[in-house]
Every structure is written in structure tokens, then in C-alpha cells.
């Protein structure tokens, strides 16, 4: 196996994420997939560089001149996307090499994931890449995104206008992280970079972690892996990068059956799960358990400060959720806090019996007409308690808009004073109210989680990472 | 501890779920909580019986005469809701006894969940209930629902019009299952019965399972428990009822910390989790792991036929999800199927290389302009394969409405011919499209799950229950 990146200088990936000139080679017909979509999406997202469509059957498209070959483009090209039949790829890559292109995203499928013949073809393009010094992402990839630079060469139509820049880098061997597969737009979910490795014939998670290590947009790295190519390098790079930013990993092929399925998906070699687990522990990488977690859990790192300890405050509208939260907290190394006597007194002066380990707003909510007026006092009392490192806050939306505005107002005030890690879970009788409050709170920098379990796990991971970091610093 | 129900005839709970005349005692002021909300919601949901508000400070409300005491009501009353301060409850209950009422929902809080004094008060109302033959639900409960009869005496405003009748009974020691806490309306989620036991001073999960055993609306029972009162009875009743309908259980207080928290929530005595697990296994009850599962997993039982075996077919738009699905399937006792040679041939004649264990629509979707035209053929081929007992189907919504209509059309056809268990997961770039397709597919009787993991687990539980059932029948 050729470890290309060992002979390539650092940041060889900047051609992918910060290209000035992009060539789009291949399929240009109308539809929800292809080069035409790439070009439209780049333009819509304010890509300020040059775009060169390449296809011998066209003369002009969207007002852009179309070139018969990449070699005809009258300027240097930083990045190409190749969206053609698999057999055309080697020839096109060679032309790119002659042209001096140093980065290629091979969207085309039909390589190692398909059959023997495809595997051979994949080997061939790896050779060509090495020969010409072209870094290759893919094949069989939906590509990358760098919204802060308007670089969104997505081959599938998005269904929404823009991708919001943010702190989470999402990377993996799947197009499921790309913007056509997840409602980033509707959720106001901000990403720093997206990178689908596809079959991972060249650019891999280690290259990417190294690139992201220095990327100032990225606050947290979330990785989906099916296998790793070079265990030692993975451990070295992972260990180094996680000192700067947390790395969260979901790995498939945990079971024997899953490992078998892996090899037919991206042709990845499976790693025994126990070994991989050991590697992650040693390198300080945080493992995830479900696909949803890949999107949800990074939010705690991109939005909130790290907790200084593992003592968890719980404010809820219902005792049952509090109990479930305690169970989960224990699972993830958090400790339900023992509030100081002062806080207990303060809470109980706000409403009788409120000063308990689980602060349950259910009773005052049912009893007081204007319960929401005591809510900010309660949150403030808990957050300023020296025994509280992080807070799980459960909000019932209520049946109408009125409540939402109050909650947003309260969180806006909270933002001014709060230094602790807050994870929120929102529930209620209307989907639209849940969505609206979620969106609003996240705009304020307070992540809202889809399940109570994910909220608690996010706090648990943040607390765990915080311990690792402090240990490093000593 | 008094086990009231042992001396009460079967179906003593029909007064709760099928009352003809309901008394609403206590709080009648405007607001999102209280008796006024109860009455409005009953009327809006088409409750056809009589409603008697009781409060000495009112004469008339919403055109209904208000009585100073339950004893002044000029007709027999089947069910009362009590929404007053905790100290007023014993007196009111005694009056209900004198009036001949046999069922009371005590919404009021401030009992065993609060303090010693509350615990005494709770003991007192249990005594009164026994003395007068009144079954008590609660205290500290948000009550019940029986949408097929318009019985929705919910003390919190819902935020939506109606609750749809369906096959799932949701019961537990939390108001989180009641209609003010979950968007049943928006999701088109159909329930047969809802029952919040609150502090569970009398009516408990055993009474309820016995009632639901004979309830023709209920196809599956989902329970949230913090503790059980009578282990032997729980095992006996559970074992008997699960022969007729599956029982899914989420139990909190799994950890020591959680168990401690439990006792301060509803005053429940905690059970060691290992013991509880053993009880569930022996009785054939299915345990759940997260709060979201309580709502999601029952859908497979209320909507779909039971699988005849554990062989899982997987159709996906992306290989990565297929691999994750295989991992999960293995966890839950499902086996990725080996398709018959005939099916493999048929699939590969539809599109090259499609006949693999994970049927990945990604390549044809990217290559074919009209990939959706081959989609029904693919689903049909898989579902008629004799080696397939159940199907995990992953759908990408696409970026526009057009795709949705196609998918709905295809599922509508599927409904006519399909006899296998189908769990669907929908993903895509727009929340509104995901919601719309989910709603549409569930209207057709095909449950859609929020995560891929929940979809697989639902199939796993269905397959497991199917095995238990066949074993019983032998």
C-alpha cells in the first residue's frame, strides 16, 4: 500500500478545500446529480474563484465556456471533480497530471466497491496519482465542502440554498455526511469542512486530521470510518491532533457480519473492533455508538466551553426525565451534583421543595400561573453553584409561541453570564415549536439535542475530553 | 402495601377509559393547566358523555353548570379528576365515595414524591379509596387518554386539536407520555390508550396490563416504569398478557444513582436491575434502552405483520448505512439474508451488480436519470424472496417534492402485495420533506423510524417476539 501523504508536504489538502480554480469534468446534463449541479451550487454559495466545465459535447453552460479537455483550460487549475464513467477516469487523470493539477475528487463509482475489475482500475488511478503528484479523494465520493469559502462542489442537488459556516468538521467514508443527505440548512447546523473519503484510495482520515489540526474554522472533528489503512500513523496523528481539538469517531464493522459488509462497500480492510477500541483509548479519541451521534454530539464542542469537572446539574419539567438522565449520566462518567446548601436554600425560597438534586419545575409549573417568571432565577442559581460543572436543561415548549419567546429571552440573558457547559433537550406537543426553539437556542450558541440520552452523552464526552486535556497540560 | 386490585373485579379500569359521566373537581381558572383545559379538550375531542365541573366559587363555565360539591351532581358519576391543593384531596375523595364514584384521577401533586407529610397524605387517600371502593390513578399524574371514545381529560393544554386513535398503548410513571409532551398530532401517531400512573398509589402496571389484555384497540403495550410493586404479580400478568400482545418496557433506575433519584420522584421502591432483567426475560417482556424507543419501537407492532424469521433484507441508497445496519442487526439477533440465486439474477438484470447482500441504489441513482422507475421492481424482487423475513428500507427524499410522490405511489402498490415486516428510515436535505414522507408512509401503515438504529432494533424485537409467540403456540 502506498502511503502517499508521507512524501507530500503538509497541507497538500488545501487544494481541495481552498481552491482558486476548479475544473468540473464530465456529466453536464440537467438532473439532480452531476457537474451542472456542482457548478450551480458553487455559484449559489458565492464561490469567488474560477469554474471551468470540461466536456467535449458542450460549448457553453450557464454562461461559462466549456472546454473539450482539461488541457484546454487557459489557466492553472487547483482542483478537479471527475464525474464520468469509471473507465474514462485513468485517461482524464493523466491529462490532469499533464496540466499540473494537484488535487482530484473522483466522484465516479465502479471501483474497488464494485468488483475485481473495479479494484484494478482503482489501483491504476492510485498509480497515476503517485506518478503525477495528484492527491485523489475517492473514488466513489460525494466530495467536500468548505462553506466559509463558498467551496461547495456537491454533485447532488441540495434542496436548500446555503450551508452555514460553523465549527464542526464532518468526515467519513460515506456520502451520508454531505449536504444532500442531511438538513444542515433547515437546522442551521454550521460546519467548517465536510469530506467524504469514498473508497479512500489516497486521501484518508490521517491526511484530513493533519489538515484540520491547523484549520482555524474547525473546533471539533467528527469521523465516520469503515476501516483504517495505517494503524500506527492513525494513532500518532490522532493522538497529536486531539490535543488541539476533540476527535469523535463512529466506526462500522464492529461485528463480524458488519466487517464483511464493509469490505464490499468501500473495499476497506476491516480492523478487529477490540483493537480499534484500544487504539482510540490510547490516542484519546472519543468513540460514538450511533449514526445520529455523529451529527449531534460534536455540537457540545463547537458551541460550549469545556466543563471543569464531571458534576452535573439537572433542571427538568418532569421527574421521570430527571431519573433517566441520572442513569445515563452515570453511564458516561458524570456525577449528579450535590448542590451547595446556599443554592438549596435559594431554590427553596423561590419555590417550596425545589432545592433537590433533580430540580423539577413540574410542580411550580402546574401551580403558578406565571411560572416562567421564576425560571431565570432557578437557572442562575444552579449555574453559579460552585458544585456544578455542567447543566442538563430540559425545556417543555408549552402549547404556544408565547413560551418560546420567554425561553429565548432567558437564554439570551444566560449567554451573558454563563461559563458552564449547558446541554438542552426540548420537548413538547408541536413539532414546529420544538424546531423553532431548537433553532433559536442554537443560534444563541446553546446546543439542543434530539434525545435526552444524546444530551447527557455529549456532556459526558465533553467532561471526559476535558480530563484528557488537563492531563496533557500537566 | 395494599394490593387493591386483588379484591377488585376485572376491568375495574373501564371507569377510567370508558366513562359516561366525568366530574372535574377543582381549578377552573384560565391558563394552560387545570380543569378548564380538561373540559375544553374533552369537548374538542368529541367526548359524548356528560361533564360536571365542581368548584364552589363558580356557577357556570363554558355553558356547563358548576356544582359546589360532587355530591350535588344530579346523576351518577363514573370518573372524577381532582385538581386541587394536596390537602383538599382526602375530603374530596370521601365525598366521591359517598356519591358512589368508583374511579378517581388525582392530578394534584405534593404526595409521596414531595416529603414525609406528602407520603402520609398519600397513605390516607389509599385508605379512603379502599374504604369506599374507589380506584385511584395517581396522585401526581397527567391522567389518561382513550381517543377512540374522545376521552381526553388532559390537564395541560395540548397545542393541537385531536389525538388519533391507533394501536399503541403508552403507559408509565411519567407525564412525558401524555399528549401535552409529545407531538402525537403532528406525527399522526395513533394511540389506543395513554395512562400516567403518577405516584402509582393504587392503579398500577399490572391492573393496566390486565385491562389492555382485553382491549381490542390495543395491539402493543409500551411501559415506562420506575419500580414495580409486586414482582410476582408483575411476572404472572406480564407473562399472560404478552402471549396476546407484545409488551415493551423502559425502566429507569438501572444504575444505583438512578435508583436513588427514582425514590424521590414518585416515591417508588427501586428494584435491582439484574433482577428486573431476569423477570422480563422469564416473562417474555421486551426491554427498551432509551426514552425515544418508547415511542418509536411499538410502531413496528402496531403497523406491520410479525416476521416469520430473522433473515433481514437491506435496501439502501448508500453503502455506509448498509454496513451500520448489518452491525446493528447482528446486535439484535437478525441475520443479513442470503438472497436466492433467482433474486440475485433478477436484481442484476435490473441494474449491474445490484444483487448483493446490501442492495445499494446509490450507483443506479447517480447513473440513471430516471432511477426511480427501477425502484418498485427492486423492492418487489427482495420482498418476494423466500429467504427474506423482514426488510430495512432506506429512502433518500431527494431535494424536491417530486420524489416523495413517487415513493408514496410505490409504497401504495407495495401495501397490496406485501406480507413481510418492513421498517423504513427516511433521510434527506430538507426537514419538511422528511416529515412529509414519514407522515405519508405511516398513513399507509409503514412505520418510519427516526434513526437507522431504531428501525433495525424494531425489526429485531419483532423477530424476537415472533419466536416467543411461536414457542408458546407449540
Amino acid at each position: 500500500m502506498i502511503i502517499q501523504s508521507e512524501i507530500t508536504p503538509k497541507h497538500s489538502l488545501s487544494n481541495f478545500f481552498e481552491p482558486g480554480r476548479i475544473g468540473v469534468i464530465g456529466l453536464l446534463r440537467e438532473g439532480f446529480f452531476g457537474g451542472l449541479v456542482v457548478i450551480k451550487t458553487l455559484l449559489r454559495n458565492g464561490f469567488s474563484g474560477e469554474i471551468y466545465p470540461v466536456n467535449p459535447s458542450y460549448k457553453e453552460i450557464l454562461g461559462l465556456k466549456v472546454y473539450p479537455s482539461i488541457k484546454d483550460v487557459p489557466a492553472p487549475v487547483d482542483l478537479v471533480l471527475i464525474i464520468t464513467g469509471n473507465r474514462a477516469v485513468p485517461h482524464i487523470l493523466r491529462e490532469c497530471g499533464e496540466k499540473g493539477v494537484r488535487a482530484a475528487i473522483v466522484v465516479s463509482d465502479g471501483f474497488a466497491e464494485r468488483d475485481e475489475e473495479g479494484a484494478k482500475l482503482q489501483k491504476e488511478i492510485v498509480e497515476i496519482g503517485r506518478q503525477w503528484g495528484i492527491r485523489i479523494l475517492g473514488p466513489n465520493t460525494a466530495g467536500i465542502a468548505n462553506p466559509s469559502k463558498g467551496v461547495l462542489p456537491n454533485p447532488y442537488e441540495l434542496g436548500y440554498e446555503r450551508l452555514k459556516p460553523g465549527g464542526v468538521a464532518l468526515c467519513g467514508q460515506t456520502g451520508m455526511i454531505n449536504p444532500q443527505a442531511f438538513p444542515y440548512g433547515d437546522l442551521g447546523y454550521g460546519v467548517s469542512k465536510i469530506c467524504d473519503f469514498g473508497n479512500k484510495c489516497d486521501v484518508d482520515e490521517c491526511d484530513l486530521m493533519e489538515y484540520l489540526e491547523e484549520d482555524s474554522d474547525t473546533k471539533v472533528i467528527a469521523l465516520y470510518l469503515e476501516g483504517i489503512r495505517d494503524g500506527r500513523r492513525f494513532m500518532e496523528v490522532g493522538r497529536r491532533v486531539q490535543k488541539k481539538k476533540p476527535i469523535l469517531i463512529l466506526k462500522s464493522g464492529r461485528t463480524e457480519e458488519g466487517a464483511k459488509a464493509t469490505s464490499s462497500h468501500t473495499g476497506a480492510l476491516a480492523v478487529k473492533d477490540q483493537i480499534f477500541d484500544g487504539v482510540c483509548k490510547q490516542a484519546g479519541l472519543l468513540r460514538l455508538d450511533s449514526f445520529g451521534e455523529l451529527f449531534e454530539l460534536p455540537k457540545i464542542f463547537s458551541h460550549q466551553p469545556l466543563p471543569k469537572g464531571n458534576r452535573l446539574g439537572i433542571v427538568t419539567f418532569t421527574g421521570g426525565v430527571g431519573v433517566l438522565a441520572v442513569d445515563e449520566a452515570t453511564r458516561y462518567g458524570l456525577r449528579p451534583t450535590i448542590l451547595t446548601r446556599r443554592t438549596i436554600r435559594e431554590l427553596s425560597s423561590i419555590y417550596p421543595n425545589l432545592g433537590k438534586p433533580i430540580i423539577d419545575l413540574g410542580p411550580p409549573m402546574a401551580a403558578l400561573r406565571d411560572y416562567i417568571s421564576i425560571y431565570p432565577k432557578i437557572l442562575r442559581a444552579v449555574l453559579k453553584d460552585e458544585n456544578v460543572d455542567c447543566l442538563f436543561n430540559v425545556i417543555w415548549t408549552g402549547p404556544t409561541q408565547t413560551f418560546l419567546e420567554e425561553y429565548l429571552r432567558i437564554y439570551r440573558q444566560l449567554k451573558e453570564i454563563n461559563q458552564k457547559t449547558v446541554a438542552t433537550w426540548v420537548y413538547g406537543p408541536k413539532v414546529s415549536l420544538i424546531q423553532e426553539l431548537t433553532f433559536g437556542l442554537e443560534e444563541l450558541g446553546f446546543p439542543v439535542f434530539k434525545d435526552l440520552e444524546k444530551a447527557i452523552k455529549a456532556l459526558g464526552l465533553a467532561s471526559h475530553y476535558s480530563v484528557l486535556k488537563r492531563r496533557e497540560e500537566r
Side-chain angles (χ1 to χ4, degrees), chain A residues 88-162:
Chain A
V89 176
H91 173 69
I92 290 169
L93 264 181
R94 271 188 212 100
E95 289 195 328
C96 289
E98 289 169 30
K99 172 74 188 164
V101 177
R102 291 289 164 266
I105 297 174
V106 181
V107 175
S108 317
D109 63 8
F111 291 86
E113 88 285 2
R114 181 180 295 170
D115 50 19
E116 270 306 304
E117 199 193 326
K120 265 188 219 158
L121 211 55
Q122 184 162 318
K123 234 173 163 174
E124 191 181 343
I125 68 170
V126 171
E127 282 298 330
I128 297 166
R130 200 173 60 141
Q131 192 181 339
W132 291 96
I134 311 171
R135 297 302 311 262
I136 299 174
L137 182 70
N140 187 22
T141 173
I144 60 132
N146 178 8
S148 72
K149 298 237 185 298
V151 178
L152 199 67
N154 204 65
Y156 294 91
E157 206 178 294
L158 263 58
Y160 53 94
E161 284 299 300
R162 280 169 164 274

Side-chain angles (χ1 to χ4, degrees), chain A residues 255-326:
Chain A
T255 60
E256 209 172 300
E257 294 286 349
K260 255 189 255 168
T262 291
S263 75
S264 78
H265 173 217
T266 49
L269 280 177
V271 190
K272 270 225 186 297
D273 196 64
Q274 271 176 306
I275 295 174
F276 184 74
D277 208 56
V279 167
C280 288
K281 283 215 178 87
Q282 254 193 286
L285 312 177
L286 310 169
R287 277 195 87 173
L288 305 178
D289 292 309
S290 74
F291 192 68
E293 289 182 1
L294 194 68
F295 298 88
E296 290 281 294
L297 301 197
K299 294 194 293 190
I300 199 79
F301 295 102
S302 64
H303 284 74
Q304 287 286 294
L306 285 179
K308 300 217 162 60
N310 68 349
R311 295 165 307 170
L312 174 69
I314 299 174
V315 177
T316 167
F317 278 62
T318 158
V321 167
V323 175
L324 289 167
V326 170

